[in-house]
Short mmCIF file of all heavy atoms in Angstrom, two decimals:
data_model
loop_
_atom_site.label_atom_id
_atom_site.label_comp_id
_atom_site.label_asym_id
_atom_site.label_seq_id
_atom_site.Cartn_x
_atom_site.Cartn_y
_atom_site.Cartn_z
N ALA D 92 -18.57 15.55 30.33
CA ALA D 92 -19.09 16.59 29.43
C ALA D 92 -18.82 17.98 29.98
O ALA D 92 -18.43 18.88 29.23
CB ALA D 92 -20.60 16.38 29.24
N GLY D 93 -18.99 18.17 31.27
CA GLY D 93 -18.85 19.49 31.86
C GLY D 93 -17.43 20.02 31.90
O GLY D 93 -17.23 21.23 32.09
N THR D 95 -15.14 19.31 29.34
CA THR D 95 -14.55 19.12 28.01
C THR D 95 -13.73 20.32 27.57
O THR D 95 -12.57 20.19 27.15
CB THR D 95 -15.65 18.83 26.97
OG1 THR D 95 -16.40 17.70 27.39
CG2 THR D 95 -15.04 18.54 25.61
N SER D 96 -14.32 21.52 27.63
CA SER D 96 -13.60 22.71 27.20
C SER D 96 -12.36 22.94 28.05
O SER D 96 -11.28 23.25 27.53
CB SER D 96 -14.52 23.93 27.27
OG SER D 96 -15.52 23.86 26.28
N ALA D 97 -12.50 22.79 29.36
CA ALA D 97 -11.36 23.01 30.26
C ALA D 97 -10.26 21.99 29.99
O ALA D 97 -9.07 22.33 30.02
CB ALA D 97 -11.83 22.92 31.71
N ASP D 192 -21.20 16.20 23.57
CA ASP D 192 -22.43 16.97 23.54
C ASP D 192 -22.08 18.39 23.11
O ASP D 192 -21.25 19.04 23.75
CB ASP D 192 -23.05 16.98 24.94
CG ASP D 192 -24.38 17.73 24.98
OD1 ASP D 192 -24.73 18.42 24.00
OD2 ASP D 192 -25.07 17.62 26.01
N PRO D 193 -22.65 18.91 22.03
CA PRO D 193 -22.31 20.26 21.58
C PRO D 193 -22.47 21.32 22.67
O PRO D 193 -21.75 22.32 22.68
CB PRO D 193 -23.26 20.51 20.41
CG PRO D 193 -23.58 19.14 19.89
CD PRO D 193 -23.60 18.26 21.12
N GLU D 194 -23.39 21.09 23.59
CA GLU D 194 -23.61 22.05 24.67
C GLU D 194 -22.43 22.10 25.63
O GLU D 194 -22.30 23.05 26.42
CB GLU D 194 -24.88 21.70 25.44
CG GLU D 194 -26.15 21.78 24.61
CD GLU D 194 -26.39 23.19 24.09
OE1 GLU D 194 -26.10 24.16 24.83
OE2 GLU D 194 -26.87 23.34 22.95
N ALA D 195 -21.58 21.08 25.59
CA ALA D 195 -20.40 21.05 26.47
C ALA D 195 -19.24 21.84 25.88
O ALA D 195 -18.20 21.97 26.52
CB ALA D 195 -19.96 19.61 26.72
N LEU D 196 -19.41 22.37 24.66
CA LEU D 196 -18.35 23.10 23.98
C LEU D 196 -18.83 24.49 23.60
O LEU D 196 -19.08 24.78 22.44
CB LEU D 196 -17.90 22.33 22.73
CG LEU D 196 -17.28 20.95 22.98
CD1 LEU D 196 -17.19 20.16 21.68
CD2 LEU D 196 -15.90 21.11 23.58
N PRO D 197 -19.00 25.37 24.60
CA PRO D 197 -19.51 26.71 24.29
C PRO D 197 -18.53 27.58 23.53
O PRO D 197 -18.92 28.53 22.89
CB PRO D 197 -19.79 27.29 25.68
CG PRO D 197 -18.83 26.58 26.59
CD PRO D 197 -18.69 25.19 26.01
N ARG D 198 -17.24 27.24 23.58
CA ARG D 198 -16.24 28.05 22.91
C ARG D 198 -15.88 27.43 21.56
O ARG D 198 -16.20 26.27 21.30
CB ARG D 198 -14.99 28.15 23.79
CG ARG D 198 -15.28 28.76 25.15
CD ARG D 198 -14.05 28.76 26.03
NE ARG D 198 -14.36 29.27 27.35
CZ ARG D 198 -13.47 29.37 28.33
NH1 ARG D 198 -12.22 29.01 28.10
NH2 ARG D 198 -13.84 29.83 29.51
N PRO D 199 -15.20 28.16 20.68
CA PRO D 199 -14.79 27.60 19.39
C PRO D 199 -13.95 26.35 19.59
O PRO D 199 -13.12 26.27 20.49
CB PRO D 199 -13.98 28.73 18.75
CG PRO D 199 -14.48 29.97 19.39
CD PRO D 199 -14.85 29.60 20.79
N LEU D 200 -14.17 25.36 18.73
CA LEU D 200 -13.46 24.10 18.83
C LEU D 200 -12.08 24.24 18.21
O LEU D 200 -11.91 24.15 17.01
CB LEU D 200 -14.26 23.00 18.10
CG LEU D 200 -13.81 21.57 18.30
CD1 LEU D 200 -13.88 21.18 19.76
CD2 LEU D 200 -14.67 20.63 17.47
#
Side-chain angles (χ1 to χ4, degrees):
T95 303
S96 290
D192 182 349
E194 296 298 323
L196 296 167
R198 301 177 184 179
L200 191 60

